[in-house]
Amino acid sequence: MTKNAEVAKVLKEISLYLEFEGKEPFKIRAYQRAVRSISSLGEDVASIAERGELTTIAGIGKGIAEVITDYLNDGQVTGLEELRTRVPIKIMELDAIPGVGPKTIKLVYDKLGVIDLESLEAAANEGRLAGLPGLGAKTEAQIKEGIRVARSGLGRTLLANALSVAEDIKKSLNQISGITQIIIAGSVRRRRETIGDIDILVSASDPKAVMDSFVSHRDVSSVTAHGQTKSSVRLTSGIQVDLRILPEDSFGAGLQYFTGNIDHNVHLRSIAQKKGLLLNEYGLFKGEKKVAGGAEADIYSTLGLKLIPPELREDTGEIEAAQSGNLPSLIELKDIRGDLHSHTDQSDGKNTIEEMLDAAQAKGYDYYCVSDHTQSLTISNGMDEARLLKRIEEIDDLNASGRWKMTILKGAEVDILSAGELDIKDEVLAELDFVTVSIHSRMKDDKKTMTDRVCHALESKYVHLLGHPTGRLLLKRPEFEIDIDAVFESARKNKVVMELNAHPQRLDLNAGNLRKATKNGLKIAINTDAHYTTELDNMQFGVFQARRGWLTKNDVINTYPLKKLMSTITK
Ligand code: DGT
Ligand code: CA
Ligand code: CA
Ligand code: ZN
């Protein structure tokens, strides 16, 4: 699926330019829709293009299909190249700043000649934004904060994108004969939410063949290093990949070292020192003698540690836990028995309820909750009470039909209004099996307002789950201001479960908050929030994040059999 993210990025850039130039809204929306559609395709867009079937993709008409073909042919889109020449701004970089969109970009370009993040930052620091029409001191301050957020994420890629790229490269390298080991290390192996670069480790009898194949992979746009033991390339998607060849008897030590993170490595090295040993990427040594190095597990066991799952290796207590034999037994994907947050074409999902249920059944789930949006989310075609009641009847019929072996749970993702009220009446909420509440509006509320609002919503006795609790979108939108400790306390009192939203761009709660939540006695539900059948696959990213948050099977309610699940959420 390596071309999808790239094509989506190009279409996104075109949509930004169209908006920048004040083109017709329908045209802009068409591109935006195409971006969403391509990003969640279950198949490589290049294969679909090869079959000449681009226009069968939802939201892709003839015009956009031609643009995609143009890009796939030579990595360029003629019209986009013209735009970039005529208006030489880094529009994607600027748009990635929270609070900055095409209209602001146009304004600061026209008035101040701002072309990239750096020149925008200079203008903001000199107070030149505040004087512009429609831009006050407050917006200027917000943009400054946005720049800070954008900088911290600059050059990083979502794990989901990096992982699919890395696995694609691994697959093609695996065809070379004489490869004995190949592992994706670094932050990808630790399943960090975002990835700086991809680190691949190989052990092979013919290193030269591996390196030659690597630097000539079809997705490589430039080669930064091409050596015997290390090569680095940049892909057309902009992602950098390092490949290292390790001798067989150092592979475990190299794997340990290049998995990281640095803090974990430094701590491990100090433990080695205390034992009179030396640890580096070639092995664990006592004087001249190598006492471990071929297998990663031997490095840890020789240091008196249980093998630490890569997701925990951040030096946040995992080394101490490994010393005392208290490492958690982490949740696994196979433990998941159902999904408790999903959408259909009843609101803003793209598939029918039957299609979603077929896809959920194919996952082998015991239960599946359909939870479309409610009325105040008008842009998502949210349901009012009448529609929701009709949906409830429909699900009763679907359950009775026996067509699906799993239990279909009646749910909704109910909007939390400005003072924490819910936008569906209690009598109707009472008819649902599982009620999720979420914030989708007024995300700029101050901390106290937002905290009170969420806590108030959790007090409703019909509420079971708080959806995507901090509202962040990775590399795009920071968490909203909220006192998460107060929310956890309210959730504990009111027996409300916290969501770990598995969407690769959300992964909300984050790892630290997950740990804190379970320490506070809360339960978690890992949900995909799927809007397409293919998005049910995102469950794996939720489980990765859960593991980074030290969660065990028992912490997560959708590992429970249905009966236990229902009794756990009953108030
Ligand atoms: P990233 O690429 O920013 O998402 O994060 P990582 O963790 O993949 O970092 P990267 O690619 O710079 O290096 C891969 C691993 O190599 C890192 O997790 C730990 C190890 N490493 C790199 N530099 C050092 C270092 O100076 N000291 C030690 N002890 N380990 C290092
Ligand atoms: Ca890396
Ligand atoms: Ca690296
Ligand atoms: Zn949702």
Side-chain angles (χ1 to χ4, degrees):
M1 273 189 254
T2 60
K3 284 289 166 197
N4 296 1
E6 239 174 88
V7 169
K9 201 162 146 190
V10 166
L11 296 176
K12 165 95 190 198
E13 187 173 347
I14 297 174
S15 84
L16 291 176
Y17 267 119
L18 293 175
E19 220 177 326
F20 178 94
E21 302 221 305
K23 289 283 172 358
E24 301 88 335
F26 79 89
K27 213 169 161 187
I28 299 165
R29 276 199 303 272
Y31 273 91
Q32 291 169 339
R33 173 142 191 253
V35 171
R36 287 192 296 272
S37 183
I38 299 288
S39 317
S40 52
L41 270 183
E43 196 192 342
D44 188 353
V45 63
S47 322
I48 303 175
E50 263 165 40
R51 298 197 303 270
E53 290 176 358
L54 283 175
T55 53
T56 64
I57 303 171
I60 307 293
K62 209 163 148 270
I64 294 183
E66 276 167 16
V67 168
I68 296 175
T69 310
D70 186 358
Y71 178 77
L72 290 173
N73 279 342
D74 58 358
Q76 291 197 346
V77 177
T78 314
L80 179 59
E81 293 305 321
E82 286 165 14
L83 280 167
R84 281 172 176 165
T85 314
R86 190 148 43 83
V87 189
I89 52 175
K90 292 190 178 163
I91 199 161
M92 294 286 274
E93 176 178 302
L94 287 166
D95 182 70
I97 302 168
V100 176
K103 289 197 185 66
T104 311
I105 298 172
K106 170 95 173 119
L107 183 70
V108 296
Y109 174 70
D110 286 347
K111 302 280 180 196
L112 306 172
V114 163
I115 54 161
D116 55 13
L117 188 138
E118 223 159 58
S119 48
L120 180 65
E121 187 171 37
N125 287 340
E126 290 158 19
R128 285 187 284 137
L129 300 181
L132 297 177
L135 272 186
K138 196 168 163 207
T139 317
E140 184 172 86
Q142 275 167 359
I143 289 177
K144 273 193 198 169
E145 167 63 10
I147 289 171
R148 203 187 56 76
V149 171
R151 272 204 191 286
S152 64
L154 218 57
R156 299 190 70 83
T157 306
L158 292 181
L159 172 65
N161 297 341
L163 192 60
S164 88
V165 167
E167 274 171 353
D168 190 62
I169 294 175
K170 180 174 165 182
K171 208 155 92 196
S172 67
L173 289 177
N174 249 330
Q175 282 156 15
I176 304 166
S177 63
I179 289 208
T180 48
Q181 303 205 61
I182 172 161
I183 296 190
I184 303 159
S187 50
V188 176
R189 184 162 181 242
R190 301 197 317 277
R191 309 305 193 205
R192 249 192 93 172
E193 304 158 342
T194 64
I195 302 303
D197 68 3
I198 295 170
D199 303 277
I200 301 179
L201 307 178
V202 172
S203 179
S205 56
D206 185 357
K208 187 174 175 311
V210 175
M211 287 307 192
D212 290 349
S213 160
F214 175 62
V215 299
S216 54
H217 187 276
R218 65 184 149 84
D219 289 337
V220 168
S221 73
S222 65
V223 178
T224 6
H226 184 176
Q228 290 270 330
T229 55
K230 185 186 169 189
S231 295
S232 293
V233 299
R234 192 164 289 282
L235 304 178
T236 49
S237 58
I239 302 177
Q240 180 175 314
V241 189
D242 295 345
L243 186 145
R244 291 181 177 81
I245 307 230
L246 306 174
E248 196 71 45
D249 67 346
S250 292
F251 195 84
L255 178 59
Q256 193 291 311
Y257 180 89
F258 291 111
T259 296
N261 74 2
I262 290 186
D263 300 330
H264 176 93
N265 287 355
V266 168
H267 192 163
L268 221 55
R269 208 175 296 167
S270 78
I271 291 178
Q273 262 164 13
K274 280 184 204 130
K275 291 185 184 292
L277 303 168
L278 173 77
L279 175 64
N280 59 30
E281 66 249 60
Y282 306 105
L284 186 58
F285 297 88
K286 184 166 191 102
E288 297 286 282
K289 190 168 171 265
K290 192 189 264 191
V291 290
E296 189 181 52
D298 294 346
I299 307 274
Y300 283 93
S301 66
T302 310
L303 293 174
L305 304 172
K306 288 259 165 9
L307 182 62
I308 300 174
E311 295 93 329
L312 300 187
R313 299 184 196 173
E314 306 276 340
D315 197 24
T316 57
E318 75 281 4
I319 293 177
E320 291 79 358
Q323 277 171 326
S324 59
N326 286 320
L327 281 172
S329 163
L330 298 178
I331 181 173
E332 295 177 38
L333 183 58
K334 66 173 170 44
D335 296 329
I336 299 289
R337 288 178 183 243
D339 200 330
L340 297 170
H341 180 171
S342 72
H343 298 268
T344 71
D345 60 3
Q346 183 70 216
S347 62
D348 59 350
K350 295 295 171 286
N351 290 98
T352 63
I353 189 167
E354 287 86 359
E355 288 164 346
M356 294 305 282
L357 292 172
D358 285 343
Q361 173 136 307
K363 297 261 169 229
Y365 287 156
D366 296 342
Y367 44 85
Y368 183 77
C369 181
V370 180
S371 51
D372 276 304
H373 291 290
T374 52
Q375 53 192 335
S376 43
L377 212 57
T378 44
I379 58 160
S380 301
N381 188 25
M383 293 181 292
D384 58 14
E385 278 89 357
R387 276 173 66 202
L388 192 48
L389 283 168
K390 217 169 134 227
R391 187 79 227 230
I392 288 170
E393 266 178 39
E394 195 187 339
I395 292 178
D396 282 336
D397 291 343
L398 294 174
N399 269 324
S401 76
R403 181 171 154 193
W404 293 278
K405 283 197 283 299
M406 54 189 188
T407 302
I408 310 159
L409 297 174
K410 294 168 277 192
E413 181 178 15
V414 179
D415 245 58
I416 300 176
L417 300 176
S418 60
E421 333 83 288
L422 303 180
D423 76 340
I424 294 290
K425 289 197 188 83
D426 282 356
E427 330 54 295
V428 178
L429 293 180
E431 299 295 314
L432 294 168
D433 299 312
F434 194 79
V435 175
T436 296
V437 292
S438 306
I439 295 279
H440 290 116
S441 60
R442 295 171 164 272
M443 298 199 217
K444 295 206 169 109
D445 274 355
D446 63 51
K447 192 165 181 173
K448 175 155 187 345
T449 309
M450 185 61 95
T451 306
D452 289 349
R453 201 178 151 195
V454 170
C455 290
H456 182 67
L458 301 191
E459 282 159 13
S460 157
K461 69 171 182 184
Y462 300 103
V463 170
H464 301 114
L465 180 80
L466 177 62
H468 42 73
T470 70
R472 70 168 179 179
L473 292 178
L474 288 164
L475 310 181
K476 176 130 187 100
R477 185 171 80 202
E479 300 179 350
F480 37 66
E481 301 272 347
I482 194 160
D483 177 353
I484 202 75
D485 295 320
V487 171
F488 288 169
E489 179 53 24
S490 167
R492 200 187 51 74
K493 268 201 293 219
N494 296 296
K495 258 187 114 171
V496 174
V497 175
M498 286 295 120
E499 181 170 75
L500 162 48
N501 192 293
H503 193 284
Q505 196 163 26
R506 289 194 183 270
L507 299 174
D508 180 7
L509 297 171
N510 68 27
N513 280 333
L514 287 169
R515 254 178 112 175
K516 200 190 240 181
T518 53
K519 252 190 211 142
N520 279 287
L522 294 180
K523 294 289 180 206
I524 308 293
I526 309 176
N527 298 324
T528 63
D529 194 359
H531 286 67
Y532 296 78
T533 51
T534 50
E535 287 184 341
L536 291 177
D537 291 341
N538 286 337
M539 188 59 82
Q540 59 175 320
F541 298 105
V543 172
F544 294 155
Q545 178 83 333
R547 291 169 63 88
R548 294 182 66 249
W550 293 52
L551 301 194
T552 65
K553 188 175 164 180
N554 187 49
D555 292 321
V556 177
I557 62 166
N558 52 319
T559 64
Y560 297 173
L562 181 61
K563 244 179 140 170
K564 181 173 173 194
L565 167 72
M566 294 321 279
S567 69
T568 305
I569 61 165
T570 302
K571 304 198 193 192

